[in-house]
Amino acid sequence: MADDSSRKRKVRGRKITTDRSEKEGRRAKKELARKTSKTGEKNGDSPLSAPEAVAPEPFVETDAVASLRDRINGWLEADQPVHLIGPTGCGKTALALSAAAERGRPVVWLNGDESVDTAALVGAHAGGERYKENDQFVGGVSKQTEIVRERWVDNPLSVAVREGATLVYNEFSRSDPSAHNVLLSVFEEGVLERPGKRGEDRSIDVHPEFRAILTSNDVEYAGVHRQQDALLDRFVGVHIDYYDGETEREIVRSHVDMSAEDIEVIVETTRALRDELDVVVGTRAAITAAKGLAVFDGTQNGDHESGQFDDELLADVFTDVLSPKIAGEGPEDVSQLRTQIADSL
């Protein structure tokens, strides 16, 4: 399919914010370096990242993508946490990172799973420092005192709240809901309580520039937890589906050097299988299939006629790409999957 030159589209790399002056960029980097150094002086590497360091590369922007990102950033500007919800492989994570980078603030990344608890969010004690103090308070008499100091290590939520970063909490709904009780006071009262932390600094006032973007798969996916309503009421939910055909072609083109005709065949096959199969067929599947076909069908060295893939090869490649989704179900299921794919071509 020929490109429509009237449509605005561009492929972006690491630097997503392009309207800031060079001087402002240098100042932001210096400020981030200062904060990162301060945060990491006791607990090793800081979770803070410069905005351009987390922007997905390559990142494709079409009208559809820009519209979604503007919607997300509009809610962030209104000081609302944004929950991106959609099927796996639809581009939620890339979109979240792009929106976070657009703000020009430091970004903190957190990946949810079953092991995430409250301590993994806010921090915990990481051992202690033990030393002895000698006090010779009377001539010829000495007193030795052993002192133990506990060392506290802040985790991503505490860092993001304190520094005014954008928290990108990927796979939010894969974490146990009980771990998220601390988020209620963050979004409602503007205070983060750190259970287990003692002293006057047990709580942190939320920085006015702190924002949060969370991503989750739809509730029907395995391993997804239903989060508490009291917390969900404090989010806005932006539901994302797979992009339109034009956007998916642009995404594949940004990852694989192929002719427009080849990419169109791959994307249209992906979209057809998405409607026909019971497994999830995301945009990522189209990218992987394109990479395989570039090798197996000789598109990288010219031994291929654009837009002409052998149906048997297409069936083999897409079976290989999608069969991990039915791993463990037996060879007969893979054979059935291949038959379904072949029938759809």
Side-chain angles (χ1 to χ4, degrees), residues 222-329:
V224 169
H225 294 282
R226 169 72 184 179
Q227 301 295 318
Q228 51 187 300
D229 287 333
L231 182 59
L232 295 177
D233 282 347
R234 288 160 174 80
F235 300 159
V236 294
V238 176
H239 289 257
I240 300 173
D241 205 344
Y242 297 110
Y243 289 120
D244 58 275
E246 178 201 9
T247 300
E248 288 200 298
R249 288 191 293 272
E250 291 291 342
I251 292 171
V252 175
R253 182 178 292 118
S254 72
H255 287 82
V256 185
D257 183 14
M258 270 187 167
S259 70
E261 293 83 359
D262 286 341
I263 290 173
E264 182 172 4
V265 170
I266 293 167
V267 169
E268 291 309 309
T269 300
T270 301
R271 295 173 71 84
L273 293 177
R274 186 176 296 155
D275 294 333
E276 295 290 333
L277 302 181
D278 292 331
V279 299
V280 175
V281 186
T283 307
R284 193 178 299 117
I287 296 170
T288 305
K291 290 179 178 178
L293 288 165
V295 174
F296 299 131
D297 206 43
T299 64
Q300 291 180 329
N301 55 25
D303 299 335
H304 167 79
E305 185 178 348
S306 291
Q308 299 295 319
F309 290 111
D310 179 76
D311 284 351
E312 288 294 310
L313 178 61
L314 270 178
D316 285 342
V317 167
F318 273 96
T319 300
D320 290 346
V321 170
L322 298 175
S323 61
K325 298 178 182 295
I326 59 171
E329 295 186 21

Side-chain angles (χ1 to χ4, degrees), residues 45-61:
D45 295 336
S46 168
L48 283 170
S49 298
E52 62 268 27
V54 297
E57 184 181 15
F59 180 75
V60 170
E61 181 179 304

Side-chain angles (χ1 to χ4, degrees), residues 176-215:
D176 192 310
S178 63
H180 298 144
N181 292 333
V182 293
L183 291 174
L184 289 169
S185 62
V186 170
F187 296 132
E188 187 66 20
E189 286 88 27
V191 175
L192 171 64
E193 297 289 342
R194 295 182 287 180
K197 184 83 166 69
R198 291 181 285 275
E200 295 180 356
D201 61 345
R202 183 178 186 273
S203 63
I204 303 175
D205 290 334
V206 176
H207 192 290
E209 290 296 328
F210 168 74
R211 298 292 187 274
I213 307 173
L214 309 94
T215 75

Side-chain angles (χ1 to χ4, degrees), residues 74-92:
W75 282 117
L76 294 177
E77 188 175 344
D79 199 10
Q80 295 296 312
V82 178
H83 189 193
L84 303 183
I85 307 162
T88 184
C90 71
K92 299 185 298 295

